[in-house]
Amino acid sequence: MTGVPTSVIAATGLLGGYALARWTKKRPLGGVALAAAGAVAARGWQREAGNATAAALSGAYVAAFAGSHPLAKKIGAWPSVCAVAGGVAAASWFVVDRRKV
């Protein structure tokens, strides 16, 4: 996945995982997509910025997934997923990806 910014991978994992789970009505399938993208992003974070950064951003990724559920009860499912995906993407861009520009 060289060349694809980790911010894009992380946001795609959150958005794609939710979309896949919703449209197939198979939550575990969405979880597989979410986890796979998270693993690819984490590997990129580790390679580009080290273990501590990878751990912090991976924690943010998991927290975003978990936090999207209660947020969805307040603002709706898609707005919630978009908000947390944007937050993780922004954090990833700021901490890791902007170094490449």
Side-chain angles (χ1 to χ4, degrees):
M1 297 294 289
T2 304
V4 178
T6 57
S7 55
V8 172
I9 297 167
T12 300
L14 289 161
L15 291 165
Y18 173 68
L20 191 59
R22 181 173 177 145
W23 289 326
T24 64
K25 296 184 177 28
K26 296 185 185 327
R27 293 179 72 185
L29 189 57
V32 168
L34 175 83
V40 171
R43 179 68 183 124
W45 294 326
Q46 189 271 333
R47 185 177 51 250
E48 295 293 328
N51 292 333
T53 300
L57 288 171
S58 293
Y61 186 81
V62 172
F65 167 69
S68 69
H69 291 82
L71 183 59
K73 291 179 181 180
K74 295 183 186 292
I75 66 172
W78 275 113
S80 172
V81 172
C82 289
V84 300
V88 170
S92 180
W93 174 260
F94 183 74
V95 174
V96 176
D97 293 337
R98 72 183 177 126
R99 298 177 182 191
K100 297 182 205 177
V101 176

